[in-house]
Amino acid sequence: MSGVKVLRIYMWSFLISFVLSKASIRILQPLPPVTEGDLGSRLTLNCNISGHPVPHFSWYKDGHELAKNLTLKVESNDGRLYSSGLRLGDAGSYTCVADNHYKLQQLSTRLIVKTPPGLLMNVTVVPSMVVATVRWHVADDGGYPILYFTLLYMPVSHPVNGTREFPLSIKVSPIVRKFLVYHLKPGTQYIFQIWASNKLGPGRPTSVKVTTARPLDTPDVVEKMIAQDGYFSSTLWMVAAYMVAASFIFLSCFTCVLIYRSRKHVKPAEVELARGNAPGSMTPGAMVWSYLLKEGAPIISLPQGP
């Protein structure tokens, strides 16, 4: 190998070593682990990486190149990713890769797009004749606390006279998951709608159609209570049993008081008549005592007159 070739190799090696020694790339400011943005709001993701030579920036979402349907676009050569109005589909994991052909650095963040609340789940409406019980469950609050629920209901069919009934709207506390609606019309079909609201606005409503019960005779009501499993809870049955027992005890005590007062105010002559010592006609009090003697009830001995 000639001396010229050796010199060239040496010069190239020196030049490469010099460039590598001067080449650098460093992170100026990392991205937060989680980035949050409201639906429809503007958002900028900065890839704060510098280097020598100047690095080239590339963005990836969920491990893939940015799709064209995303609102986030690379606006400049400094690695900024910008959106003029976030959509729900923009949510995901974003990674910025900076490469200057000698070294490489990357930054990552997870983007969460906050929205109005989602549909309420497990919405049920259980009607009686004039009352309906509405229950629901919150599965998605949209990223912000629920401010209130809105419950709207109205009859499905209009009255015969043509008078239009407007829907009634009720605001329900955010901590409530059950609400009772009163003053419904028996035998009428109603439509119920309920939705949640947060600081970004109302969510989508959930609709349920039900028909209130028609008035029933007493035997029909009892038959319906027995036929429908779970129509009344065990607690209500216990309360009913206690009420029956209390009524029986009260009637027993009241009967004892009446008997005691009748014995206290009876006259001696009536006692004699009740024992059969006088053949004459019996007074009402004597008739009572006669009945008690026949039944074997004890008789209070009363003092005889002089």
Side-chain angles (χ1 to χ4, degrees):
M1 182 179 295
S2 64
V4 177
K5 290 183 178 181
V6 173
L7 181 60
R8 287 180 178 176
I9 294 173
Y10 177 77
M11 291 180 63
W12 276 109
S13 300
F14 176 78
L15 181 61
I16 293 173
S17 299
F18 177 78
V19 171
L20 290 176
S21 64
K22 296 296 182 180
S24 65
I25 189 168
R26 62 191 182 94
I27 298 174
L28 300 178
Q29 183 179 1
L31 288 170
V34 177
T35 301
E36 297 179 345
D38 294 342
L39 184 69
S41 65
R42 298 178 181 180
L43 180 72
T44 300
L45 296 178
N46 295 311
C47 191
N48 291 319
I49 298 177
S50 66
H52 181 78
V54 177
H56 172 74
F57 298 96
S58 301
W59 281 93
Y60 300 89
K61 178 180 182 290
D62 299 327
H64 304 282
E65 294 184 357
L66 298 181
K68 295 182 178 180
N69 60 348
L70 296 176
T71 64
L72 288 159
K73 307 292 183 181
V74 179
E75 292 291 328
S76 59
N77 296 328
D78 57 1
R80 285 185 299 173
L81 198 62
Y82 176 75
S83 173
S84 58
L86 287 175
R87 298 175 184 171
L88 189 59
D90 293 330
S93 297
Y94 288 82
T95 301
C96 173
V97 177
D99 183 9
N100 64 358
H101 302 292
Y102 299 102
K103 294 184 178 181
L104 181 145
Q105 285 285 6
Q106 66 180 27
L107 298 174
S108 298
T109 187
R110 183 167 65 93
L111 174 61
I112 297 177
V113 179
K114 295 186 175 183
T115 65
L119 282 171
L120 298 178
M121 306 300 293
N122 301 328
V123 178
T124 60
V125 181
V126 181
S128 62
M129 283 191 297
V130 294
V131 180
T133 303
V134 185
R135 293 182 175 90
W136 63 92
H137 175 70
V138 178
D140 178 20
D141 60 5
Y144 286 111
I146 300 296
L147 298 179
Y148 56 86
F149 298 99
T150 302
L151 177 61
L152 184 146
Y153 66 98
M154 66 175 297
V156 175
S157 58
H158 299 302
V160 180
N161 57 10
T163 303
R164 181 179 180 182
E165 294 193 26
F166 294 94
L168 298 176
S169 179
I170 304 173
K171 281 190 176 182
V172 183
S173 169
I175 64 174
V176 172
R177 298 296 183 270
K178 172 184 174 182
F179 193 81
L180 298 178
V181 179
Y182 298 93
H183 307 299
L184 301 178
K185 296 179 180 179
T188 304
Q189 188 180 31
Y190 282 85
I191 181 170
F192 287 79
Q193 289 187 333
I194 185 170
W195 62 88
S197 299
N198 60 16
K199 65 176 294 184
L200 297 181
R204 290 188 297 163
T206 301
S207 300
V208 178
K209 285 185 179 181
V210 296
T211 302
T212 55
R214 293 182 174 85
L216 300 175
D217 295 334
T218 302
D220 295 334
V221 174
V222 175
E223 182 179 354
K224 185 175 181 179
M225 291 167 54
I226 297 174
Q228 292 185 355
D229 183 26
Y231 190 81
F232 281 97
S233 65
S234 58
T235 303
L236 292 178
W237 283 113
M238 292 177 62
V239 171
Y242 286 140
M243 292 179 64
V244 172
S247 301
F248 178 78
I249 294 173
F250 173 76
L251 292 176
S252 301
C253 294
F254 184 72
T255 303
C256 293
V257 171
L258 291 179
I259 294 174
Y260 174 75
R261 293 184 64 182
S262 298
R263 290 180 178 181
K264 185 175 180 181
H265 295 87
V266 69
K267 296 179 181 181
E270 293 177 346
V271 174
E272 293 298 329
L273 289 173
R275 290 177 177 175
N277 295 334
S281 60
M282 300 175 64
T283 63
M287 295 176 65
V288 173
W289 280 103
S290 176
Y291 174 79
L292 294 176
L293 288 173
K294 290 180 181 179
E295 295 298 324
I299 300 300
I300 302 174
S301 59
L302 299 175
Q304 301 293 329

